[in-house]
Amino acid sequence: MPLPDPASRVIPPLMRLLHFNRTFVTEQGAHERIREATLRPAAYGPPRTLRRDVRLDVVHDRGWPVYTLTPTSAERPVGGVVYAHGGGWVNEIVRQQWHLAARVAAEAGVVVTVPIYPLVPHGTAGPTRERVVELVRASAEQHGPTGVMGDSAGGQIALSAALALRDEGVRLPLTLLVSPALDLTWSNPRIPVVQPTDPWLATPGGRVLAAAWRGDLPLTDPAVSPLFGDLTGLGPLTVFTGTRDVLNPDALLLVDKARTAGVEVELHEAPGQLHVYPVLPTPPGRAAAEVLVARVARALRP
């Protein structure tokens, strides 16, 4: 299917030219990326300029920098969102993700909490989920109704946290996933069908990163691969996915499984779009980000 705009046509070959997929296309590439990130950790702080209508604060709690983005134009925030950034569990949050977090805070009128969680080989799925659950509880106490949001690897963290909270009797008003990683076994038979169209992600490196991220848990534990969890009782779920993303088949499985479990689901599937397309500087990406912000506002406003 042809891509709908010039930027979307240019970005995939540019990504291949710049070797965006080098971490994923081979096992060696993933091992090299883990080593590189360990030897030379990337900066994680926000850009010097975000938005003037958002106040940025940070605390350091048990080794985690935890940022909050608070809207300054609203009389009082209507709730909170804990945002788990993506990056294959090996890459830090980047400028585009910071700008999305700031936009959600300002335009939806919510306090966005951004934890800088430890990456592989130091971080693993179980402890990270536990800390994110704690942050959701804290946000709910301080700011009111709180949801979770995550892109890519952060989608795995966000959904696993939502399931853990559900197990505690907490039904979140919002679980919003952008191109989420859901099944870290990488076993969906449709992945090889989609793979030739995806200039970014691939199975060989993905399996290496998954093996590092699972820690001492099985790959099929819902804390690692939330697609294997029982979704019954989960609060409203929103999923954004592009068809040129090897994670798209699992996103569609999640939607089907959630609907079967009686979960309220809103699916935004974009033909011809890439992994985490709502974060990308394309017309479809900007349009999706606008929808995303509106969805957050609708879920949390009284």
Side-chain angles (χ1 to χ4, degrees), residues 44-46 50 54-60 64-72 98 111-116 142-143:
Y44 55 75
L50 271 175
V54 171
R55 189 185 79 240
L56 189 66
D57 300 287
V58 64
V59 297
H60 291 260
W64 284 35
V66 179
Y67 288 83
T68 52
L69 291 79
T70 305
T72 57
W98 276 116
V111 177
V112 178
T113 300
V114 181
I116 307 300
Q142 297 173 21
H143 311 302

PDB file of all heavy atoms in Angstrom, residues 44-46 50 54-60 64-72 98 111-116 142-143:
ATOM      1  N   TYR A  44      19.801  11.474  29.542  1.00  0.00           N
ATOM      2  CA  TYR A  44      18.367  11.231  29.577  1.00  0.00           C
ATOM      3  C   TYR A  44      17.561  12.483  29.877  1.00  0.00           C
ATOM      4  O   TYR A  44      16.341  12.470  29.806  1.00  0.00           O
ATOM      5  CB  TYR A  44      18.026  10.159  30.631  1.00  0.00           C
ATOM      6  CG  TYR A  44      18.547  10.481  32.021  1.00  0.00           C
ATOM      7  CD1 TYR A  44      17.924  11.443  32.815  1.00  0.00           C
ATOM      8  CD2 TYR A  44      19.658   9.830  32.532  1.00  0.00           C
ATOM      9  CE1 TYR A  44      18.402  11.747  34.078  1.00  0.00           C
ATOM     10  CE2 TYR A  44      20.133  10.116  33.795  1.00  0.00           C
ATOM     11  CZ  TYR A  44      19.512  11.075  34.568  1.00  0.00           C
ATOM     12  OH  TYR A  44      19.991  11.379  35.814  1.00  0.00           O
ATOM     13  N   GLY A  45      18.230  13.563  30.218  1.00  0.00           N
ATOM     14  CA  GLY A  45      17.504  14.765  30.630  1.00  0.00           C
ATOM     15  C   GLY A  45      16.700  15.374  29.499  1.00  0.00           C
ATOM     16  O   GLY A  45      16.967  15.137  28.320  1.00  0.00           O
ATOM     17  N   PRO A  46      15.701  16.162  29.852  1.00  0.00           N
ATOM     18  CA  PRO A  46      14.853  16.790  28.833  1.00  0.00           C
ATOM     19  C   PRO A  46      15.599  17.867  28.068  1.00  0.00           C
ATOM     20  O   PRO A  46      16.613  18.398  28.531  1.00  0.00           O
ATOM     21  CB  PRO A  46      13.719  17.400  29.666  1.00  0.00           C
ATOM     22  CG  PRO A  46      14.332  17.637  31.006  1.00  0.00           C
ATOM     23  CD  PRO A  46      15.307  16.517  31.229  1.00  0.00           C
ATOM     24  N   LEU A  50      11.309  22.973  26.281  1.00  0.00           N
ATOM     25  CA  LEU A  50      10.159  22.125  26.044  1.00  0.00           C
ATOM     26  C   LEU A  50       8.982  23.026  25.714  1.00  0.00           C
ATOM     27  O   LEU A  50       8.835  23.486  24.595  1.00  0.00           O
ATOM     28  CB  LEU A  50       9.879  21.253  27.274  1.00  0.00           C
ATOM     29  CG  LEU A  50      10.603  19.901  27.326  1.00  0.00           C
ATOM     30  CD1 LEU A  50      10.335  19.189  28.640  1.00  0.00           C
ATOM     31  CD2 LEU A  50      10.210  19.017  26.161  1.00  0.00           C
ATOM     32  N   VAL A  54       4.589  24.349  30.734  1.00  0.00           N
ATOM     33  CA  VAL A  54       4.817  23.134  31.517  1.00  0.00           C
ATOM     34  C   VAL A  54       5.980  23.380  32.480  1.00  0.00           C
ATOM     35  O   VAL A  54       7.040  23.874  32.069  1.00  0.00           O
ATOM     36  CB  VAL A  54       5.146  21.935  30.599  1.00  0.00           C
ATOM     37  CG1 VAL A  54       5.608  20.738  31.419  1.00  0.00           C
ATOM     38  CG2 VAL A  54       3.932  21.559  29.763  1.00  0.00           C
ATOM     39  N   ARG A  55       5.762  23.057  33.754  1.00  0.00           N
ATOM     40  CA  ARG A  55       6.835  23.135  34.748  1.00  0.00           C
ATOM     41  C   ARG A  55       7.475  21.768  34.906  1.00  0.00           C
ATOM     42  O   ARG A  55       6.791  20.765  35.038  1.00  0.00           O
ATOM     43  CB  ARG A  55       6.293  23.601  36.101  1.00  0.00           C
ATOM     44  CG  ARG A  55       7.411  23.912  37.119  1.00  0.00           C
ATOM     45  CD  ARG A  55       6.901  24.268  38.486  1.00  0.00           C
ATOM     46  NE  ARG A  55       6.512  23.065  39.238  1.00  0.00           N
ATOM     47  CZ  ARG A  55       5.303  22.840  39.696  1.00  0.00           C
ATOM     48  NH1 ARG A  55       4.325  23.702  39.463  1.00  0.00           N
ATOM     49  NH2 ARG A  55       5.036  21.728  40.372  1.00  0.00           N
ATOM     50  N   LEU A  56       8.783  21.755  34.918  1.00  0.00           N
ATOM     51  CA  LEU A  56       9.530  20.506  34.983  1.00  0.00           C
ATOM     52  C   LEU A  56      10.205  20.386  36.338  1.00  0.00           C
ATOM     53  O   LEU A  56      10.881  21.312  36.802  1.00  0.00           O
ATOM     54  CB  LEU A  56      10.580  20.496  33.869  1.00  0.00           C
ATOM     55  CG  LEU A  56      11.335  19.208  33.601  1.00  0.00           C
ATOM     56  CD1 LEU A  56      10.401  18.126  33.071  1.00  0.00           C
ATOM     57  CD2 LEU A  56      12.441  19.471  32.585  1.00  0.00           C
ATOM     58  N   ASP A  57      10.012  19.262  37.012  1.00  0.00           N
ATOM     59  CA  ASP A  57      10.654  18.987  38.293  1.00  0.00           C
ATOM     60  C   ASP A  57      11.248  17.585  38.258  1.00  0.00           C
ATOM     61  O   ASP A  57      10.818  16.733  37.463  1.00  0.00           O
ATOM     62  CB  ASP A  57       9.641  19.077  39.450  1.00  0.00           C
ATOM     63  CG  ASP A  57       9.001  20.445  39.560  1.00  0.00           C
ATOM     64  OD1 ASP A  57       9.697  21.380  39.999  1.00  0.00           O
ATOM     65  OD2 ASP A  57       7.814  20.575  39.198  1.00  0.00           O
ATOM     66  N   VAL A  58      12.217  17.330  39.143  1.00  0.00           N
ATOM     67  CA  VAL A  58      12.810  15.998  39.210  1.00  0.00           C
ATOM     68  C   VAL A  58      13.175  15.682  40.652  1.00  0.00           C
ATOM     69  O   VAL A  58      13.598  16.557  41.412  1.00  0.00           O
ATOM     70  CB  VAL A  58      14.053  15.888  38.294  1.00  0.00           C
ATOM     71  CG1 VAL A  58      15.166  16.814  38.755  1.00  0.00           C
ATOM     72  CG2 VAL A  58      14.540  14.444  38.211  1.00  0.00           C
ATOM     73  N   VAL A  59      12.951  14.428  41.026  1.00  0.00           N
ATOM     74  CA  VAL A  59      13.439  13.898  42.301  1.00  0.00           C
ATOM     75  C   VAL A  59      14.236  12.641  41.997  1.00  0.00           C
ATOM     76  O   VAL A  59      14.053  12.007  40.945  1.00  0.00           O
ATOM     77  CB  VAL A  59      12.284  13.575  43.270  1.00  0.00           C
ATOM     78  CG1 VAL A  59      11.501  14.833  43.630  1.00  0.00           C
ATOM     79  CG2 VAL A  59      11.353  12.515  42.696  1.00  0.00           C
ATOM     80  N   HIS A  60      15.131  12.302  42.932  1.00  0.00           N
ATOM     81  CA  HIS A  60      15.903  11.074  42.796  1.00  0.00           C
ATOM     82  C   HIS A  60      15.484  10.147  43.921  1.00  0.00           C
ATOM     83  O   HIS A  60      15.675  10.447  45.095  1.00  0.00           O
ATOM     84  CB  HIS A  60      17.406  11.378  42.841  1.00  0.00           C
ATOM     85  CG  HIS A  60      17.877  12.126  41.645  1.00  0.00           C
ATOM     86  ND1 HIS A  60      18.509  11.524  40.580  1.00  0.00           N
ATOM     87  CD2 HIS A  60      17.787  13.439  41.325  1.00  0.00           C
ATOM     88  CE1 HIS A  60      18.796  12.426  39.664  1.00  0.00           C
ATOM     89  NE2 HIS A  60      18.378  13.599  40.091  1.00  0.00           N
ATOM     90  N   TRP A  64      16.521   6.167  40.965  1.00  0.00           N
ATOM     91  CA  TRP A  64      15.758   6.531  39.761  1.00  0.00           C
ATOM     92  C   TRP A  64      15.545   8.043  39.720  1.00  0.00           C
ATOM     93  O   TRP A  64      14.928   8.599  40.643  1.00  0.00           O
ATOM     94  CB  TRP A  64      14.383   5.876  39.777  1.00  0.00           C
ATOM     95  CG  TRP A  64      14.315   4.438  39.445  1.00  0.00           C
ATOM     96  CD1 TRP A  64      15.224   3.474  39.732  1.00  0.00           C
ATOM     97  CD2 TRP A  64      13.226   3.787  38.778  1.00  0.00           C
ATOM     98  NE1 TRP A  64      14.780   2.261  39.298  1.00  0.00           N
ATOM     99  CE2 TRP A  64      13.561   2.422  38.704  1.00  0.00           C
ATOM    100  CE3 TRP A  64      12.016   4.232  38.247  1.00  0.00           C
ATOM    101  CZ2 TRP A  64      12.717   1.480  38.113  1.00  0.00           C
ATOM    102  CZ3 TRP A  64      11.177   3.295  37.657  1.00  0.00           C
ATOM    103  CH2 TRP A  64      11.525   1.940  37.582  1.00  0.00           C
ATOM    104  N   PRO A  65      15.976   8.725  38.661  1.00  0.00           N
ATOM    105  CA  PRO A  65      15.459  10.080  38.441  1.00  0.00           C
ATOM    106  C   PRO A  65      13.992   9.971  37.997  1.00  0.00           C
ATOM    107  O   PRO A  65      13.669   9.208  37.084  1.00  0.00           O
ATOM    108  CB  PRO A  65      16.334  10.631  37.317  1.00  0.00           C
ATOM    109  CG  PRO A  65      17.492   9.679  37.217  1.00  0.00           C
ATOM    110  CD  PRO A  65      16.988   8.347  37.674  1.00  0.00           C
ATOM    111  N   VAL A  66      13.124  10.715  38.662  1.00  0.00           N
ATOM    112  CA  VAL A  66      11.700  10.704  38.315  1.00  0.00           C
ATOM    113  C   VAL A  66      11.278  12.150  38.053  1.00  0.00           C
ATOM    114  O   VAL A  66      11.275  12.983  38.954  1.00  0.00           O
ATOM    115  CB  VAL A  66      10.841  10.092  39.437  1.00  0.00           C
ATOM    116  CG1 VAL A  66       9.363  10.125  39.045  1.00  0.00           C
ATOM    117  CG2 VAL A  66      11.284   8.658  39.732  1.00  0.00           C
ATOM    118  N   TYR A  67      10.939  12.425  36.794  1.00  0.00           N
ATOM    119  CA  TYR A  67      10.541  13.768  36.381  1.00  0.00           C
ATOM    120  C   TYR A  67       9.018  13.906  36.446  1.00  0.00           C
ATOM    121  O   TYR A  67       8.285  12.946  36.201  1.00  0.00           O
ATOM    122  CB  TYR A  67      10.996  14.047  34.952  1.00  0.00           C
ATOM    123  CG  TYR A  67      12.477  14.245  34.794  1.00  0.00           C
ATOM    124  CD1 TYR A  67      13.339  13.157  34.673  1.00  0.00           C
ATOM    125  CD2 TYR A  67      13.031  15.521  34.769  1.00  0.00           C
ATOM    126  CE1 TYR A  67      14.707  13.333  34.525  1.00  0.00           C
ATOM    127  CE2 TYR A  67      14.401  15.716  34.619  1.00  0.00           C
ATOM    128  CZ  TYR A  67      15.230  14.614  34.494  1.00  0.00           C
ATOM    129  OH  TYR A  67      16.581  14.796  34.352  1.00  0.00           O
ATOM    130  N   THR A  68       8.567  15.105  36.751  1.00  0.00           N
ATOM    131  CA  THR A  68       7.144  15.425  36.612  1.00  0.00           C
ATOM    132  C   THR A  68       7.009  16.659  35.736  1.00  0.00           C
ATOM    133  O   THR A  68       7.768  17.620  35.860  1.00  0.00           O
ATOM    134  CB  THR A  68       6.465  15.676  37.962  1.00  0.00           C
ATOM    135  OG1 THR A  68       7.216  16.648  38.714  1.00  0.00           O
ATOM    136  CG2 THR A  68       6.348  14.397  38.766  1.00  0.00           C
ATOM    137  N   LEU A  69       6.041  16.595  34.834  1.00  0.00           N
ATOM    138  CA  LEU A  69       5.728  17.706  33.943  1.00  0.00           C
ATOM    139  C   LEU A  69       4.328  18.181  34.313  1.00  0.00           C
ATOM    140  O   LEU A  69       3.349  17.443  34.133  1.00  0.00           O
ATOM    141  CB  LEU A  69       5.787  17.273  32.486  1.00  0.00           C
ATOM    142  CG  LEU A  69       7.172  16.925  31.926  1.00  0.00           C
ATOM    143  CD1 LEU A  69       7.610  15.525  32.345  1.00  0.00           C
ATOM    144  CD2 LEU A  69       7.186  17.023  30.409  1.00  0.00           C
ATOM    145  N   THR A  70       4.252  19.390  34.848  1.00  0.00           N
ATOM    146  CA  THR A  70       2.997  19.924  35.373  1.00  0.00           C
ATOM    147  C   THR A  70       2.526  21.088  34.510  1.00  0.00           C
ATOM    148  O   THR A  70       3.289  22.040  34.283  1.00  0.00           O
ATOM    149  CB  THR A  70       3.172  20.410  36.823  1.00  0.00           C
ATOM    150  OG1 THR A  70       3.699  19.333  37.615  1.00  0.00           O
ATOM    151  CG2 THR A  70       1.857  20.887  37.412  1.00  0.00           C
ATOM    152  N   PRO A  71       1.293  21.046  34.028  1.00  0.00           N
ATOM    153  CA  PRO A  71       0.792  22.178  33.225  1.00  0.00           C
ATOM    154  C   PRO A  71       0.633  23.418  34.112  1.00  0.00           C
ATOM    155  O   PRO A  71       0.150  23.327  35.234  1.00  0.00           O
ATOM    156  CB  PRO A  71      -0.557  21.673  32.716  1.00  0.00           C
ATOM    157  CG  PRO A  71      -0.983  20.643  33.716  1.00  0.00           C
ATOM    158  CD  PRO A  71       0.271  19.996  34.209  1.00  0.00           C
ATOM    159  N   THR A  72       1.057  24.549  33.591  1.00  0.00           N
ATOM    160  CA  THR A  72       0.954  25.785  34.365  1.00  0.00           C
ATOM    161  C   THR A  72      -0.216  26.648  33.935  1.00  0.00           C
ATOM    162  O   THR A  72      -0.584  27.590  34.633  1.00  0.00           O
ATOM    163  CB  THR A  72       2.253  26.604  34.221  1.00  0.00           C
ATOM    164  OG1 THR A  72       2.488  26.864  32.828  1.00  0.00           O
ATOM    165  CG2 THR A  72       3.424  25.847  34.803  1.00  0.00           C
ATOM    166  N   TRP A  98      10.210  13.277  24.946  1.00  0.00           N
ATOM    167  CA  TRP A  98      10.016  14.377  25.897  1.00  0.00           C
ATOM    168  C   TRP A  98       8.966  15.362  25.393  1.00  0.00           C
ATOM    169  O   TRP A  98       8.120  15.843  26.157  1.00  0.00           O
ATOM    170  CB  TRP A  98      11.337  15.109  26.138  1.00  0.00           C
ATOM    171  CG  TRP A  98      12.232  14.487  27.159  1.00  0.00           C
ATOM    172  CD1 TRP A  98      13.471  13.954  26.965  1.00  0.00           C
ATOM    173  CD2 TRP A  98      11.959  14.340  28.554  1.00  0.00           C
ATOM    174  NE1 TRP A  98      13.979  13.477  28.142  1.00  0.00           N
ATOM    175  CE2 TRP A  98      13.079  13.712  29.139  1.00  0.00           C
ATOM    176  CE3 TRP A  98      10.886  14.692  29.369  1.00  0.00           C
ATOM    177  CZ2 TRP A  98      13.154  13.418  30.509  1.00  0.00           C
ATOM    178  CZ3 TRP A  98      10.948  14.401  30.722  1.00  0.00           C
ATOM    179  CH2 TRP A  98      12.069  13.765  31.286  1.00  0.00           C
ATOM    180  N   VAL A 111      -0.731  15.930  35.039  1.00  0.00           N
ATOM    181  CA  VAL A 111       0.661  15.843  35.468  1.00  0.00           C
ATOM    182  C   VAL A 111       1.240  14.544  34.911  1.00  0.00           C
ATOM    183  O   VAL A 111       0.739  13.458  35.204  1.00  0.00           O
ATOM    184  CB  VAL A 111       0.784  15.862  37.000  1.00  0.00           C
ATOM    185  CG1 VAL A 111       2.251  15.701  37.416  1.00  0.00           C
ATOM    186  CG2 VAL A 111       0.222  17.153  37.568  1.00  0.00           C
ATOM    187  N   VAL A 112       2.277  14.669  34.107  1.00  0.00           N
ATOM    188  CA  VAL A 112       2.907  13.494  33.502  1.00  0.00           C
ATOM    189  C   VAL A 112       4.163  13.152  34.299  1.00  0.00           C
ATOM    190  O   VAL A 112       5.059  13.989  34.460  1.00  0.00           O
ATOM    191  CB  VAL A 112       3.258  13.742  32.029  1.00  0.00           C
ATOM    192  CG1 VAL A 112       3.969  12.519  31.437  1.00  0.00           C
ATOM    193  CG2 VAL A 112       2.001  14.055  31.228  1.00  0.00           C
ATOM    194  N   THR A 113       4.220  11.932  34.787  1.00  0.00           N
ATOM    195  CA  THR A 113       5.386  11.428  35.514  1.00  0.00           C
ATOM    196  C   THR A 113       6.219  10.580  34.561  1.00  0.00           C
ATOM    197  O   THR A 113       5.696   9.663  33.925  1.00  0.00           O
ATOM    198  CB  THR A 113       4.951  10.580  36.717  1.00  0.00           C
ATOM    199  OG1 THR A 113       4.158  11.376  37.593  1.00  0.00           O
ATOM    200  CG2 THR A 113       6.154  10.042  37.476  1.00  0.00           C
ATOM    201  N   VAL A 114       7.510  10.915  34.464  1.00  0.00           N
ATOM    202  CA  VAL A 114       8.415  10.206  33.546  1.00  0.00           C
ATOM    203  C   VAL A 114       9.547   9.591  34.359  1.00  0.00           C
ATOM    204  O   VAL A 114      10.484  10.289  34.749  1.00  0.00           O
ATOM    205  CB  VAL A 114       8.985  11.150  32.473  1.00  0.00           C
ATOM    206  CG1 VAL A 114       9.900  10.381  31.517  1.00  0.00           C
ATOM    207  CG2 VAL A 114       7.870  11.849  31.703  1.00  0.00           C
ATOM    208  N   PRO A 115       9.474   8.291  34.639  1.00  0.00           N
ATOM    209  CA  PRO A 115      10.576   7.641  35.356  1.00  0.00           C
ATOM    210  C   PRO A 115      11.714   7.286  34.404  1.00  0.00           C
ATOM    211  O   PRO A 115      11.482   6.802  33.295  1.00  0.00           O
ATOM    212  CB  PRO A 115       9.921   6.379  35.923  1.00  0.00           C
ATOM    213  CG  PRO A 115       8.825   6.058  34.953  1.00  0.00           C
ATOM    214  CD  PRO A 115       8.339   7.380  34.407  1.00  0.00           C
ATOM    215  N   ILE A 116      12.926   7.538  34.843  1.00  0.00           N
ATOM    216  CA  ILE A 116      14.108   7.110  34.091  1.00  0.00           C
ATOM    217  C   ILE A 116      14.554   5.784  34.700  1.00  0.00           C
ATOM    218  O   ILE A 116      15.323   5.730  35.654  1.00  0.00           O
ATOM    219  CB  ILE A 116      15.223   8.169  34.158  1.00  0.00           C
ATOM    220  CG1 ILE A 116      14.681   9.537  33.716  1.00  0.00           C
ATOM    221  CG2 ILE A 116      16.405   7.749  33.290  1.00  0.00           C
ATOM    222  CD1 ILE A 116      14.126   9.585  32.312  1.00  0.00           C
ATOM    223  N   GLN A 142      -1.656  12.108  44.713  1.00  0.00           N
ATOM    224  CA  GLN A 142      -1.302  13.526  44.623  1.00  0.00           C
ATOM    225  C   GLN A 142      -2.124  14.294  43.595  1.00  0.00           C
ATOM    226  O   GLN A 142      -2.441  15.472  43.805  1.00  0.00           O
ATOM    227  CB  GLN A 142       0.178  13.663  44.283  1.00  0.00           C
ATOM    228  CG  GLN A 142       1.116  13.101  45.335  1.00  0.00           C
ATOM    229  CD  GLN A 142       2.559  13.114  44.872  1.00  0.00           C
ATOM    230  OE1 GLN A 142       2.938  13.853  43.962  1.00  0.00           O
ATOM    231  NE2 GLN A 142       3.390  12.286  45.483  1.00  0.00           N
ATOM    232  N   HIS A 143      -2.452  13.639  42.473  1.00  0.00           N
ATOM    233  CA  HIS A 143      -3.017  14.373  41.340  1.00  0.00           C
ATOM    234  C   HIS A 143      -4.409  13.915  40.925  1.00  0.00           C
ATOM    235  O   HIS A 143      -5.012  14.534  40.056  1.00  0.00           O
ATOM    236  CB  HIS A 143      -2.079  14.269  40.131  1.00  0.00           C
ATOM    237  CG  HIS A 143      -0.647  14.571  40.445  1.00  0.00           C
ATOM    238  ND1 HIS A 143      -0.262  15.785  40.984  1.00  0.00           N
ATOM    239  CD2 HIS A 143       0.479  13.824  40.320  1.00  0.00           C
ATOM    240  CE1 HIS A 143       1.058  15.781  41.164  1.00  0.00           C
ATOM    241  NE2 HIS A 143       1.520  14.604  40.780  1.00  0.00           N
TER     242      HIS A 143
END
